[in-house]
Amino acid sequence: MASKIEAHGRGHLIHSHAHEENIPGTVNLKAAEGDDTGYGQALFPVPAEDPNDPLQWSNFKKTMILIICSFYSFLANGALIGPSPYIDIWSGEFGITPTEASGLVSYPNLAFGFGSLIFVPMYLKFGRRPVMLFSLLTFAGGLIGASRCTTFEGLMAARVIHGFGSCVCEALPVQLVNDIFFLHERGKRIGYYTVCLCLGTFAALPAGYMLSAGYGWRLFFYVYFAFAMALFILAFFFVEETSYDRNAFAPSSASQSEPEKEGIQEVEKGTQQTDLAVPSRKSFMQTLSLWGRVDSDVPFFATMIRSFTYFLVPQSLWVITTFGINIGLSALAFSYTFPILIVNPPYNWAVTNSGLFSIAAVVGYGLAIPFTSSSDRLAAYFTKRNDGMREAEMRLGVMLPAMLIGPAGIVLYGMTAERGLHWICFFIGGAMNFWGAYFFFSFTLAYAVDSYYANTSEMLIAMNLGKQAISFGFGLKVLEWVLESGYATVMSGIFGGVLLANNLVLLIFMFQGKRIRRFMSETWLAKLHFRSIREVTTH
């Protein structure tokens, strides 16, 4: 079942009569005559009659923005996790313990999460484009600083700077997917972003091989600095401001008495001819402006404070625990333990090969990528069977196999480390875990955005704060825990059990999700969040 959004040229703008019902996450997608459709259903959110509405942009424009933002996520996460093979080297070079050296990975990750508390209100108030460009420059500055550091303290400072500066790449791709794509496209597009986020762990592989080239760990940061500047150039030319006040261009505000007014075009909707005040599309030079859409109504500090209330929203909390536990287990625990395990008996690999565990991530995520659109397709199938009524939970069924396969991978990895099993079991366990994590990364996030229409940006702040704090807690002491209690107890038992418990929450949302949404919609919390909505999704 292919998605079919009809191509729209200069004379055609996308139209839809879809609308949300009284319960957030329940959307009426019945197509009326003349509506553009996706999977045979009306499009939601409903775009404005304006070619400058991001929902009306061409597929090329939208795809370029998604690629650039997703690659930024790949680059930023790779810069954080990639240097993990250098922990032992930094320990010897700076005269510190391996646990202290691992802080050069843990603390930048913490800054990466908490930076959203500053950068997300900034892009709400000053626009997505200027904040993203500033973020890229800060990221690049921290990278070049890290490449030149000669002390532990200096390297820590530079690492925290580039982690803090790049934090916007966690929230912004999801925000942009929400800005420029329709409901039926979000699962697939968030999945593409998730692929890039997850494959950041692949950076440990080239990081290890840079050592064998004789250049040392500094080359890693030089290379990433070059990529960051190249990405800045691409973002400057292709990432247009996506913040848009859709409510300000409602059909009723269109002037019908001044067809001669400059910038007014006559558009055709179906077979009916209607005079609408439709502005001309911005010129290419206008899209390069460094100034975004400044919203003076956004309360900067109130946005920061209000974001903490999203910890009380069940769907948001599930995303927080899902990302936090999986990042703490997959990205940090694996990255910390494998380089140490594989260079010691019974394996005795060379240090330059300690980054090869990234292959497990590539295999696991690679096998999951073909399922990227599966949640959108499953939701479209159930929506059709439900007479055009879309429920947020309709996408969750595709996660059932991953619910068990991911924790099983953690158990296999821990038992391999504890009993000295063949090294291939590390990679099989890791690939299983990464495969399962991909489903939970992609579709819990899409579900949360679908099921609780409030201020998406504030929800993203809470998600990023929570998941980075949880992953920091899991990753900071993982080396001490496994040395004290053993890999079987800590990774197979505790980590595997925690991940399984989190994954089993899927069953609660599948069968009781709508009831939870209905209950939450009647609470004071929903009223507070509704008043703070900045993105208008329909006329």
Side-chain angles (χ1 to χ4, degrees), residues 96-210:
I96 55 179
T97 66
T99 299
E100 289 175 315
S102 69
L104 289 167
V105 177
S106 297
Y107 286 103
N109 267 280
L110 193 63
F112 187 66
F114 278 76
S116 299
L117 201 58
I118 304 296
F119 276 83
V120 172
M122 281 177 60
Y123 78 56
L124 282 176
K125 192 167 187 68
F126 304 111
R128 283 52 151 165
R129 175 177 167 81
V131 172
M132 181 178 181
L133 295 177
F134 173 73
S135 168
L136 277 163
L137 288 177
T138 307
F139 175 53
L143 289 171
I144 197 64
S147 70
R148 306 301 300 166
C149 289
T150 57
T151 65
F152 171 73
E153 292 77 11
L155 182 58
M156 177 67 80
R159 292 272 292 155
V160 167
I161 288 172
H162 81 65
F164 181 82
S166 61
C167 68
V168 75
C169 79
E170 286 282 84
L172 197 54
V174 181
Q175 180 68 59
L176 293 179
V177 166
N178 199 50
D179 288 345
I180 67 180
F181 290 106
F182 293 100
L183 176 66
H184 74 280
E185 301 173 303
R186 289 178 184 168
K188 185 175 182 179
R189 268 56 181 200
I190 289 177
Y192 290 151
Y193 147 72
T194 303
V195 170
C196 293
L197 182 152
C198 295
L199 289 181
T201 58
F202 180 74
L205 182 60
Y209 277 100
M210 285 176 189

Side-chain angles (χ1 to χ4, degrees), residues 19 26 91 107 157 259 266 325 342 360 465:
H19 58 276
T26 300
S91 175
Y107 286 103
E266 189 178 67
I325 293 170
I342 209 67
L465 287 173

Side-chain angles (χ1 to χ4, degrees), residues 86 234 276 385 484:
Y86 305 142
L234 287 173
L276 298 176
R385 291 186 57 182
E484 291 176 0

Side-chain angles (χ1 to χ4, degrees), residues 121 125 295-304 306 458 534:
K125 192 167 187 68
D295 191 342
S296 58
D297 294 330
V298 172
F300 189 90
F301 294 104
T303 299
M304 295 170 59
R306 198 165 48 221
E458 292 179 3
R534 308 309 309 172

